[in-house]
Amino acid sequence: MDFKLILGLGKPDIKKMEREKDIKGLIRAMGYDNDETIRKEAAFALGKITDSQSPIYTIRNENTLSEDTSDESLNNLTVEELISSLKDNDWSIRMNAAKTLVEIGEPAVENLINSLEDNDWQIRWYAAEILGEIGDIHSIKPLIELLNDKNKGVQSNSSIALIKIGKPSVELLIDNLNSKEWQIREHVAEILGEIGDIHSIKPLENSLNDENGDVRMAVKVSIEKINNK
């Protein structure tokens, strides 16, 4: 156990967590208040190691929930009721409501997109993640708009969702390199680097002179990532 980290005396080791596929640790690191860079690195590391398994499938309260009965209480709920369950006080209910919504898939997309504007940050957080798992292209634009959410965790989950959707989101992401919001331009540049589509290089190069220094740095790093793939 890392007592220095628990006491806030040391930074999370994102690379180690990524190697060990420490999903719980990465999620905790996404809430690290002392360093925004750590939060971003944790978000992208989480995206990389959850290509085939989302936290909504793998993180649950093992002490209170068994695999056979995990969905029993949720099977007969409507999509709206499942989405409402995403803010339940019981962690296992939230996890399995999310899992059920992923399994429902496309029929749940419209309601989930509407939930990206919910006043409760937890609903927006889960909705973004679930939409990334479903991968429906209709969620790309609203997910990009959520990159400027007031909650950093929601921003991170939106980034991860767009990375998971991948190449179908590239065209709209490129369009948003010209967004009026510098935070969106920064996140978009980072996401394009993670997706790694070669068609992103020229638009990214055009943003090397962005007026915002954080955007310019994100653009430079992403171009290097794409060139090195």
Side-chain angles (χ1 to χ4, degrees), residues 133-160:
E133 288 297 318
I134 294 173
D136 191 287
I137 61 172
H138 295 98
S139 62
I140 295 171
K141 185 175 184 292
L143 283 169
I144 291 173
E145 291 171 357
L146 209 63
L147 294 173
N148 198 29
D149 192 273
K150 59 186 177 183
N151 183 286
K152 296 291 186 182
V154 174
Q155 290 180 17
S156 295
N157 254 17
S158 302
S159 294
I160 293 169

Side-chain angles (χ1 to χ4, degrees), residues 13 30 40 57 140 165 181 214:
D13 188 339
M30 283 170 58
K40 289 178 180 177
Y57 282 99
I140 295 171
I165 294 172
E181 304 291 339
D214 290 335

Side-chain angles (χ1 to χ4, degrees), residues 71-79 81-82 100:
D71 297 328
E72 264 181 40
S73 61
L74 298 168
N75 281 342
N76 297 319
L77 296 183
T78 65
V79 169
E81 288 169 327
L82 285 166
T100 303

Side-chain angles (χ1 to χ4, degrees), residues 15-90:
K15 294 294 184 185
K16 181 181 178 184
M17 290 179 187
E18 183 179 340
R19 286 195 304 272
E20 297 177 354
K21 297 187 177 181
D22 181 2
I23 296 175
K24 290 183 179 179
L26 287 168
I27 288 177
R28 286 195 295 271
M30 283 170 58
Y32 187 72
D33 291 334
N34 298 331
D35 191 332
E36 185 175 357
T37 302
I38 292 292
R39 295 196 296 271
K40 289 178 180 177
E41 289 177 357
F44 285 122
L46 189 59
K48 289 177 187 176
I49 68 174
T50 56
D51 285 339
S52 59
Q53 279 191 314
S54 166
I56 62 180
Y57 282 99
T58 57
I59 301 173
R60 54 185 66 190
N61 190 334
E62 295 91 347
N63 297 323
T64 60
L65 194 65
S66 72
E67 199 68 35
D68 325 52
T69 62
S70 60
D71 297 328
E72 264 181 40
S73 61
L74 298 168
N75 281 342
N76 297 319
L77 296 183
T78 65
V79 169
E80 292 89 345
E81 288 169 327
L82 285 166
I83 290 173
S84 180
S85 296
L86 295 174
K87 56 183 176 183
D88 193 278
N89 290 329
D90 188 320

Side-chain angles (χ1 to χ4, degrees), residues 79-88 101 109-128 130-131 142-143 145-146 148-151 154-155 158:
V79 169
E80 292 89 345
E81 288 169 327
L82 285 166
I83 290 173
S84 180
S85 296
L86 295 174
K87 56 183 176 183
D88 193 278
L101 285 162
V109 167
E110 184 177 352
N111 289 83
L112 287 164
I113 288 174
N114 292 336
S115 297
L116 295 177
E117 299 180 2
D118 196 278
N119 290 329
D120 190 314
W121 72 268
Q122 289 186 90
I123 295 289
R124 302 196 304 277
W125 195 94
Y126 280 110
I130 295 164
L131 286 167
L143 283 169
E145 291 171 357
L146 209 63
N148 198 29
D149 192 273
K150 59 186 177 183
N151 183 286
V154 174
Q155 290 180 17
S158 302

